[in-house]
Every structure is written in structure tokens, then in C-alpha cells.
């Protein structure tokens, strides 16, 4: 490789590193502003003040605030996938893995800190879906695919179970009422009973 190319590549890598750091600052700052205000829609000026960045820095990376929120929602889902993978890996029984997946999702409403971080996104997820349908579908598919893997031959029911469990999560987050252990186990029992039923298998 010619030296000119090597130095050009290094410059691009440096720029990528700066961009990644700035985006991380914006995301972390937005989480803090949302947590403090409880609102999904904080002003950009509040985000920039918290991040210590300028207006041009924001628009270098995002065309709108909703693009930033989309990235944050996707990141949250990726973190949840990792968390659920860790929980399900800790149990050997396939049926119990499914139960643990359900418990892990509902833990997002049971834990006060997780609930406070997640709740603002619940109210606006449909708006983001309308604006960015392809990105939202790809983001959700991470969780649905993980669930389908746990279901094995009954994977056709992954979307149904996903809709049920996340509907319960949304209900508790909106009402600001944490699910009790009994609430969680009722959902677990319902999912397991449905997945065990003869109609639960693929046709």
C-alpha cells in the first residue's frame, strides 16, 4: 500500500472514531435528559447542553431528533437481546429457557431503573414505526428471531408470543405499576401452556 493511501485510511479511521465518540455522547446525554424529565421528546438544546456538544455536531450525525431516538431504541433492543441471551443461557432446560425469556422481558417493568429508562420509548414507538418502518422491523426482528430459536419447531408462534409478552410489558410501563412475581408467572404459565398445546406446533 502506498503511503498516501495508508495516511488517507488513517484519516478516515480517525474521523470514524470521532464520529462514534460524538454519537455515544449524544445517546448517553439523551438517556440522562429523558430519565430526568420522564419525557420522550426532549429539546435538542437540552441534549446538546448535557452532551457538551454544538448544534452542528448533532446534525453531522442525525437529520432529525427522531433519527437519534430510532438509534436509541435499536440500541435498547440490542442490549435486551444480550441480556435475554445471558438469562436463557443460564438454564439448561429448553422449556425453562422460554420461561426465562418471558421473565427477562417483564423484568424491564419490574426493575425501577430499567422501567424509567424504557417507559418513555413505549409511548412513541408507533410514531417511529410510521417514519422508519423498515428499520423498526429489522430492529424488532432481533428479539423475534431470538424467541423463534428458543421455540424450535414451534417457531411459527414467535410473533404471537412476542406480541403478547411485549403487550404486557407496555401495559405495566404505561400504568407505572410494576408487575408482581405472581403477575410475571401468570404470563409465563400462559406462554408455556400455549407453546405445549397441540395447536402450538407448526402445521
Amino acid at each position: 500500500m502506498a503511503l498516501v493511501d495508508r495516511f488517507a485510511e488513517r484519516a478516515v479511521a480517525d474521523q470514524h472514531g470521532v464520529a462514534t465518540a460524538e454519537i455515544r455522547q449524544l445517546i448517553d446525554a439523551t438517556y440522562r435528559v429523558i430519565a430526568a424529565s420522564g419525557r420522550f421528546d426532549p429539546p435538542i438544546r437540552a441534549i446538546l447542553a448535557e452532551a457538551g456538544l454544538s448544534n452542528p455536531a448533532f446534525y453531522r450525525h442525525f437529520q432529525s431528533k427522531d433519527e437519534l431516538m430510532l438509534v436509541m431504541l435499536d440500541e435498547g433492543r440490542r442490549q435486551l437481546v444480550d441480556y435475554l441471551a445471558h438469562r436463557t443461557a443460564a438454564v439448561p432446560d429448553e422449556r425453562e429457557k422460554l420461561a426465562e425469556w418471558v421473565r427477562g422481558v417483564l423484568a424491564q417493568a419490574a426493575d425501577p431503573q430499567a422501567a424509567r429508562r424504557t417507559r418513555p420509548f413505549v409511548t412513541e414507538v408507533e410514531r417511529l414505526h410510521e417514519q422508519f418502518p423498515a428499520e423498526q422491523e429489522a430492529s424488532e426482528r432481533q428479539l423475534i428471531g431470538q424467541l423463534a430459536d428458543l421455540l424450535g419447531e414451534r417457531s411459527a408462534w414467535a410473533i404471537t408470543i412476542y406480541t403478547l409478552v411485549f403487550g404486557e410489558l407496555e401495559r405495566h410501563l404505561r400504568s407505572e405499576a410494576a408487575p408482581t412475581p405472581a403477575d410475571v408467572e401468570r404470563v409465563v404459565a400462559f406462554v408455556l401452556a400455549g407453546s405445549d398445546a397441540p395447536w402450538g406446533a407448526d402445521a
Side-chain angles (χ1 to χ4, degrees), residues 18-171:
V18 170
T20 300
E22 286 186 346
I23 291 171
R24 184 75 262 162
Q25 280 180 264
L26 289 167
I27 289 173
D28 291 344
T30 306
Y31 273 128
R32 291 194 295 271
V33 172
I34 287 175
S37 68
R39 295 174 51 210
F40 178 81
D41 201 24
I44 290 178
R45 63 179 179 276
I47 296 170
L48 292 174
E50 180 68 27
L53 294 173
S54 64
N55 212 50
F58 181 91
Y59 288 103
R60 271 199 298 272
H61 310 297
F62 302 105
Q63 293 183 10
S64 68
K65 186 168 51 180
D66 282 345
E67 278 196 348
L68 169 60
M69 298 305 175
L70 178 70
V71 169
M72 292 177 67
L73 183 58
D74 179 69
E75 182 181 70
R77 285 182 176 138
R78 291 178 186 276
Q79 290 174 351
L80 181 56
V81 166
D82 291 343
Y83 169 72
L84 295 172
H86 177 75
R87 285 189 66 137
T88 56
V91 292
D93 180 72
E94 294 303 315
R95 193 168 182 271
E96 185 58 23
K97 284 182 184 292
L98 177 57
E100 200 61 21
W101 189 91
V102 175
R103 294 184 187 110
V105 171
L106 295 180
Q108 307 312 300
D111 178 75
Q113 184 175 354
R116 189 163 51 250
R117 189 180 175 97
T118 306
R119 185 176 294 111
F121 290 90
V122 167
T123 60
E124 299 294 335
V125 67
E126 288 305 318
R127 178 163 66 87
L128 292 178
H129 185 75
E130 288 176 5
Q131 290 189 63
F132 310 102
E135 291 86 348
Q136 274 283 80
E137 183 180 350
S139 181
E140 282 190 313
R141 200 177 299 131
Q142 302 171 78
L143 286 157
I144 295 170
Q146 183 182 53
L147 180 55
D149 289 342
L150 294 177
L151 287 166
E153 65 179 13
R154 299 168 190 267
S155 60
W157 290 97
I159 293 177
T160 301
I161 294 173
Y162 172 88
T163 303
L164 166 68
V165 177
F166 275 84
E168 281 293 293
L169 174 64
E170 179 179 340
R171 181 172 69 85

